[in-house]
Amino acid sequence: MSITTVLFDFDGTLADTLPICIHSIAESFLKYDGKTLTAEDVVAMFGPTEADIIRFNLRNRDAAEDAVRLFYELYDKEHDRMVRPNADMIALLDRLASDGYRLGIVTGKGRASLDISLERLGMKHYFGVTVSGDEMMKPKPDPEGVVTAMNGLGAKREETVFIGDSEADMRAGKGAGVFTIGAHWLDNVQTHRFETKPDLYVKRTDELLAFLEGRK
């Protein structure tokens, strides 16, 4: 069956947003816990939304919501400085949209930070559905988000691909029964080792387009 639907992870796949996530979370912990976190410390807490990372791990529980507010203030304030629009990603989305593919996002990001990034990067209008961590009962690697996005777009699993940069993405896509693509195509994103072998691995957007062209 032809591919009609393309679902993407966001952080590290469509945008190099990892540095601003790490910075904003670390600053929140520094101010409200007096704790200095390394990038590795922050990444080790990934899984929940950014807000829940703070709520679950801040020792000063009384300050948790203040720390969450600081995270969003910094994410908004520093976004234009720390996250640059990527011409290759915009060109890819333009091509996929013009070719008639249904597009969606499945991400562990919170809704507020996802919307900030989509608006600032000029990506919001491409997607028929976006599923954030706030809309999932079970985050990736559970397939819930991928299945939710397919349902929102009216897509069948045999006509859907899911593209991501992490092991959790590979497991979520495989768990949903869709063709799962590992992508390490952003210049400044550290690659993650896949324990779960993707159905296809790409390092350039033209490799994805070539694959889709052969599945029309």
Side-chain angles (χ1 to χ4, degrees):
M1 182 174 288
S2 298
I3 299 299
T4 67
T5 304
V6 183
L7 304 178
F8 293 90
D9 168 54
F10 190 78
D11 291 328
T13 301
L14 285 175
D16 184 9
T17 42
L18 184 60
I20 192 171
C21 290
I22 292 172
H23 169 74
S24 301
I25 290 171
E27 288 296 312
S28 299
F29 275 84
L30 180 61
K31 179 169 183 178
Y32 289 102
D33 252 358
K35 184 178 181 181
T36 300
L37 298 179
T38 65
E40 291 76 17
D41 293 331
V42 175
V43 171
M45 295 186 286
F46 280 6
T49 64
E50 305 99 329
D52 280 346
I53 286 173
I54 294 169
R55 293 185 181 113
F56 296 158
N57 293 282
L58 197 76
R59 291 175 298 186
N60 183 2
R61 296 301 175 88
D62 291 340
E65 294 310 312
D66 289 334
V68 169
R69 280 190 287 272
L70 177 60
F71 165 80
Y72 283 123
E73 289 171 6
L74 292 171
Y75 194 94
D76 184 47
K77 178 182 177 182
E78 300 291 340
H79 196 282
D80 290 349
R81 180 178 70 85
M82 297 189 72
V83 185
R84 300 294 185 184
N86 186 298
D88 287 342
M89 291 300 104
I90 295 299
L92 173 64
L93 295 174
D94 274 338
R95 171 70 178 274
L96 295 176
S98 67
D99 284 350
Y101 290 99
R102 295 176 290 194
L103 305 180
I105 290 174
V106 181
T107 178
K109 291 181 77 62
R111 169 55 57 187
S113 56
L114 175 62
D115 286 347
I116 289 170
S117 288
L118 288 175
E119 186 69 32
R120 297 291 183 83
L121 297 173
M123 292 181 170
K124 188 173 183 178
H125 64 284
Y126 291 109
F127 299 100
V129 66
T130 59
V131 181
S132 79
D134 288 325
E135 288 96 54
M136 297 181 209
M137 293 296 292
K138 298 177 182 178
K140 293 180 288 185
D142 192 275
E144 177 193 336
V146 177
V147 173
T148 298
M150 283 193 292
N151 290 340
L153 293 170
K156 299 177 181 178
R157 64 185 180 184
E158 60 266 25
E159 62 187 23
T160 300
V161 300
F162 177 53
I163 304 163
D165 70 312
S166 72
E167 170 64 16
D169 294 322
M170 300 304 99
R171 291 168 60 189
K174 295 278 191 173
V178 304
F179 193 94
T180 304
I181 300 175
H184 290 151
W185 50 27
L186 294 180
D187 291 340
N188 299 317
V189 174
Q190 184 177 8
T191 59
H192 306 273
R193 179 179 296 176
F194 297 128
E195 295 179 11
T196 301
K197 185 178 179 181
D199 295 307
L200 176 68
Y201 176 69
V202 297
K203 296 182 73 173
R204 302 189 314 273
T205 57
D206 62 345
E207 294 175 312
L208 172 65
L209 292 171
F211 164 76
L212 292 175
E213 185 67 26
R215 295 292 297 270
K216 284 185 175 179

